[in-house]
Structures are given as structure tokens and as C-alpha cells.
Amino acid sequence: MAYLTLLLAILLVHKALCEATFWDTAVRLSETMTLECVYPLTDNLTQVEWNKINGTETVTIAVYIPNHRMHIHKNYLHRVHFPNSTVGFRNMSLSFYNASETDIGTYTCLLSIFPSGLWEKKIKVVQSDSFAILAPSDGYLYAEPGQNVTLSCQLPRNWPVQQVMWERVQPHQVDILASCNLSQGTRYTSKYLRKIWSTCSQESMQSVVIPNATAADFGLYRCRSEASTGEKETFVIRLILTDGGTNKHFILLIAGGSVSLLLIILIIIIIIFYNRRRRRQVRTPLKEPRDKQSKVATNCRSPTSPIHSIDDDKEDIYVNYPTFSRRPKPRF
């Protein structure tokens, strides 16, 4: 009995730790970072509360109630603000001024909704490089605006899939779009500001659908999958939205590559031409003395030499002789 009680306690602790470490969005630490919290539905929001979780302690950062004064904790006064509070109550994102390493941790955005109840989003701030650089794409998917885009994982055949998670990867943050755990029979409810269609089943859990895709959906999407044997696979796909059958981003990419290639070829040609010209300049001074010597040897001859050139034989010879008048001889 004691053993069973201990086992249950361990399971409860493990579950609590998993829930505490789970997050909806990961944000890269920066001086002017923004923690995104946008309620996707149109229900009535009555209160917003931002908290930071420090281990077992929860610190309230700010509380906002419509038509009332906003309350901000003294440690965060003049360090945080709500940039979109005047636009609409659905967007209660929290922005930081001069954030530092002390701001690394887990934050919660808790919304009181009438009549649904509470809606909570967990955001983890981490010190990391650009998420987009750390997740290079494995393939491309082209679609037109307004279409329903289906993103699919390319997993090995007959792979015993146990869990699949889809994420939207941006340079400054990563958002969980959908997650399904077949072994536990649980499905994640996305807190992403964009509506995503997904089902939690063995047949369709490897894909998600973005309805009515727009230009804002352009970017990287990552699929993390785990098999019952413990094997893990990651597949990253880049979604490219075309405009009238042409893709501006793709054209710019090709044009930039072509210009770079032509520039490299031009530099190579200039280097080859310069090297050849330099070699000629180096070889010319060595040839000139020999040429001059050969010319001197052929042009110089002895004044008493009996050998005359052909040109000399062909020269005209002029002789001076007196002229005589042609008078008739006298007859005797």
C-alpha cells in the first residue's frame, strides 16, 4: 500500500512538472521583446492578468480591466506596457523596455472571459539565436492567397507514430499550432492567434490545415514527431504564398543568386586576364635582348664584304657624261 501511494505521488509530481514546463510560445530574449497574447474568439473579456512564474512563486506583473486604471507591479513599472490596448481588448500583448537576462523565464497571460471562464497562455522567454536560422527548411510548399493550405509530415512508412507537434517558426518566436499524443489520448488546444484545423487520429495527425491562407502565413513550419520506440523525427517546410502565379520572394531569391553568380564569373575572368597579361610582361624583357642581338647580327656587315644583297643589285646606277651636240659632219 505504501509503495502504491509513493508511486501515485511520483506520478502526480511528474504531471505537475510537465504542466509547469509546458509552453504555448517561446520568445527569444531581446531588449524590446513583445510577449504576444491575442484571444482568437469574439467572447467578452472582462480582465487581463500577466504573471511570471519563478519556480513555485508567481509574481503578478500587471492587471488590466477595461474602463479602469491599469495596475503594474513596482518592479516592472516603466519597464512594460500594452502597445495594443487602445486598438482592442482582444490583443493584450505585453512589451518590454530594456529587457535583460533577469527577464528569462515563464510568463502567463490569463484572460477572464464571459461566460466561458478562464483562458490562459504560457510564454517562455529563452536566450537563443534566431529560431529561423536554427531550423533550416527541408522542403517548399507553394500556395495562393485564400486557399486552404495542408501541411504534412514526411515520415517513414509504417512508422509507429506516438506523438506529433506542429510549430510556426519565426526569427523571434516559436508558436505551437497543434499537438496530439496518441498514447495518452490527449489533444492540445492551440493558443495561436490564427485558427488552425487539426484532428488527433492515427490517419490525420501528421497534417494540419491553414484555412484561407494570407501573406502573413508565409514562413517556416516545423513538424516534431516521436515513435513508440523512442525515435524522433523533425521536418521543416517553408510555405510560400504566390501572387497571381508568381512568387516575388522566389524571384528575388533567383535574381540575387544569378547576380552573385555573374559577379563571381566576372571576377574570375578579370583575374585570369590579369595573370596572363602579367606573364606576358614578365616574358617580354627576356625576349627583347635576343631579338636585338639577332637583328644586329643580320644587319651588320663588313664594308669590304664581297657579298651584295639582292636589293643592292637592283639599285639604279647613275653616271655623269658630257653631252655633245649633233652637228652634221663637214663634207670635203
Side-chain angles (χ1 to χ4, degrees):
M1 188 65 181
Y3 177 78
L4 181 60
T5 305
L6 179 61
L7 180 61
L8 291 175
I10 293 175
L11 291 176
L12 291 175
V13 171
H14 176 72
K15 183 179 179 180
L17 290 176
C18 291
E19 292 179 353
T21 56
F22 188 80
W23 49 269
D24 301 287
T25 299
V27 177
R28 181 168 59 93
L29 177 66
S30 62
E31 292 185 358
T32 57
M33 65 179 180
T34 298
L35 309 185
E36 193 174 75
C37 181
V38 181
Y39 185 64
L41 303 180
T42 58
D43 296 344
N44 294 325
L45 276 66
T46 59
Q47 179 175 311
V48 178
E49 182 178 337
W50 273 96
N51 301 311
K52 182 180 180 182
I53 302 174
N54 294 325
T56 58
E57 182 185 3
T58 300
V59 178
T60 301
I61 298 176
V63 177
Y64 177 69
I65 301 175
N67 302 324
H68 289 77
R69 185 178 179 181
M70 182 182 301
H71 171 73
I72 299 179
H73 193 277
K74 60 180 181 179
N75 293 338
Y76 292 90
L77 197 61
H78 305 300
R79 293 188 56 231
V80 298
H81 70 288
F82 293 88
N84 300 306
S85 60
T86 57
V87 177
F89 192 49
R90 293 177 61 251
N91 189 347
M92 295 307 301
S93 300
L94 185 69
S95 295
F96 280 73
Y97 295 115
N98 300 322
S100 61
E101 293 184 357
T102 58
D103 296 314
I104 295 176
T106 302
Y107 296 80
T108 61
C109 175
L110 185 62
L111 307 181
S112 298
I113 307 167
F114 180 83
S116 302
L118 297 177
W119 183 88
E120 185 181 33
K121 180 178 181 179
K122 290 187 178 181
I123 302 173
K124 181 176 64 173
V125 177
V126 297
Q127 190 169 16
S128 174
D129 295 331
S130 174
F131 294 121
I133 296 177
L134 299 177
S137 59
D138 300 313
Y140 295 87
L141 178 62
Y142 298 91
E144 294 183 1
Q147 291 183 343
N148 294 337
V149 179
T150 301
L151 306 175
S152 301
C153 275
Q154 296 183 0
L155 302 178
R157 293 182 178 180
N158 302 324
W159 210 54
V161 182
Q162 174 178 308
Q163 183 176 0
V164 175
M165 179 184 293
W166 277 96
E167 300 170 325
R168 168 76 187 278
V169 181
Q170 301 181 70
H172 65 288
Q173 73 180 40
V174 177
D175 296 284
I176 297 178
L177 307 181
S179 179
C180 179
N181 192 321
L182 289 179
S183 62
Q184 299 179 1
T186 57
R187 178 184 176 184
Y188 165 76
T189 302
S190 176
K191 303 301 190 302
Y192 186 55
L193 55 87
R194 184 82 159 82
K195 185 176 178 59
I196 303 295
W197 296 344
S198 64
T199 56
C200 189
S201 64
Q202 182 67 36
E203 295 77 16
S204 59
M205 64 181 297
Q206 300 179 20
S207 62
V208 295
V209 179
I210 302 176
N212 301 321
T214 63
D217 297 318
F218 171 86
L220 295 176
Y221 294 84
R222 180 168 56 194
C223 173
R224 297 176 182 267
S225 56
E226 183 178 354
S228 57
T229 56
E231 297 177 292
K232 296 181 180 181
E233 289 285 341
T234 301
F235 180 77
V236 180
I237 185 171
R238 180 179 293 275
L239 176 61
I240 299 177
L241 276 300
T242 61
D243 184 11
T246 59
N247 177 24
K248 296 180 181 179
H249 296 277
F250 189 64
I251 291 175
L252 291 175
L253 182 63
I254 294 178
S258 302
V259 171
S260 300
L261 181 60
L262 291 176
L263 182 61
I264 292 174
I265 294 175
L266 181 61
I267 292 174
I268 293 175
I269 293 174
I270 293 174
I271 292 175
I272 294 175
F273 178 77
Y274 176 77
N275 290 336
R276 288 184 177 180
R277 186 175 180 182
R278 187 175 180 182
R279 289 177 183 175
R280 289 178 182 176
Q281 292 177 353
V282 172
R283 291 176 181 177
T284 301
L286 298 176
K287 288 184 176 181
E288 286 180 357
R290 296 181 181 177
D291 295 341
K292 290 181 179 180
Q293 290 177 4
S294 60
K295 290 181 180 179
V296 171
T298 54
N299 293 335
C300 295
R301 63 183 181 182
S302 174
T304 59
S305 175
I307 301 176
H308 301 280
S309 65
I310 297 176
D311 295 337
D312 294 340
D313 294 340
K314 292 183 179 180
E315 292 180 356
D316 295 335
I317 302 175
Y318 297 91
V319 179
N320 295 326
Y321 59 91
T323 57
F324 299 93
S325 62
R326 295 181 179 181
R327 295 179 181 180
K329 296 180 180 182
R331 293 180 182 181
F332 298 96

